[in-house]
């Protein structure tokens, strides 16, 4: 009986160290919510956009919806957010896949071109 209890404890200890999740490496200061949660799709972060840029950004997003899992957009920004994303000037558009930052620009046309190239792959 004691042998069964001892084996049970050993099995529990061993299994508690197992991790079924994929061990992806993310930049430690960037929140996981900025990364795409869908393999093969991208997530866009838009920081420091004006009202006009917001409308243009929405058009770019809509044109590329098939390859995007979502976006985070804000016209306002704080120093902590800028520092976390290593941003010196705004606006800034950053594309993430499930593991890392892929592309960064301050130009919506360049953003749209990058996404168009990803659609054709």
């Amino acid at each position: 009986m004691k042998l069964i209890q001892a084996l049970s404890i050993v099995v529990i200890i061993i299994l508690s160290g197992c991790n079924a999740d994929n061990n992806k490496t993310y930049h430690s200061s960037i929140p996981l919510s900025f990364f795409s949660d869908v393999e093969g799709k991208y997530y866009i972060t838009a920081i420091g956009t004006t009202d006009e840029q917001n409308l243009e950004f929405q058009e770019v997003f809509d044109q590329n919806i098939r390859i995007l899992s979502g976006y985070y957009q804000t016209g306002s920004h704080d120093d902590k957010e800028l520092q976390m994303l290593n941003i010196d000037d705004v606006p800034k558009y950053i594309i993430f896949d499930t593991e890392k930052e892929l592309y960064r620009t301050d130009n919506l046309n360049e953003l749209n071109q990058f996404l168009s190239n990803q659609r054709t792959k």
Side-chain angles (χ1 to χ4, degrees):
M1 186 66 159
K2 289 185 179 187
L3 181 61
I4 292 174
Q5 287 176 337
L7 285 174
S8 297
I9 291 172
V10 169
V11 169
I12 291 171
I13 290 171
I14 291 172
L15 291 178
S16 66
C18 292
N19 184 355
D21 294 339
N22 292 337
N23 290 326
K24 297 178 182 174
T25 56
Y26 297 99
H27 190 282
S28 61
S29 67
I30 299 175
L32 292 179
S33 60
F34 281 12
F35 294 92
S36 175
D37 58 355
V38 179
E39 191 70 39
K41 291 195 174 195
Y42 307 101
Y43 190 90
I44 303 176
T45 298
I47 304 288
T49 54
T50 64
D51 289 342
E52 183 179 331
Q53 290 166 332
N54 290 344
L55 295 173
E56 293 170 356
F57 173 77
Q58 189 62 51
E59 290 175 14
V60 169
F61 183 84
D62 291 344
Q63 290 172 10
N64 296 284
I65 190 80
R66 291 188 338 263
I67 62 168
L68 298 173
S69 65
Y71 69 91
Y72 168 76
Q73 180 181 21
T74 182
S76 62
H77 53 276
D78 59 27
D79 291 337
K80 184 177 178 182
E81 189 173 57
L82 295 177
Q83 183 178 13
M84 172 187 64
L85 293 168
N86 196 25
I87 295 175
D88 295 327
D89 58 331
V90 292
K92 198 64 72 182
Y93 307 96
I94 307 171
I95 299 177
F96 296 92
D97 66 6
T98 56
E99 298 179 359
K100 63 188 175 301
E101 178 182 323
L102 294 178
Y103 185 75
R104 177 182 290 235
T105 186
D106 60 357
N107 184 295
L108 272 170
N109 291 327
E110 291 174 5
L111 174 72
N112 196 31
Q113 184 63 46
F114 177 84
L115 291 170
S116 295
N117 292 341
Q118 300 308 304
R119 282 195 322 242
T120 59
K121 285 186 177 181

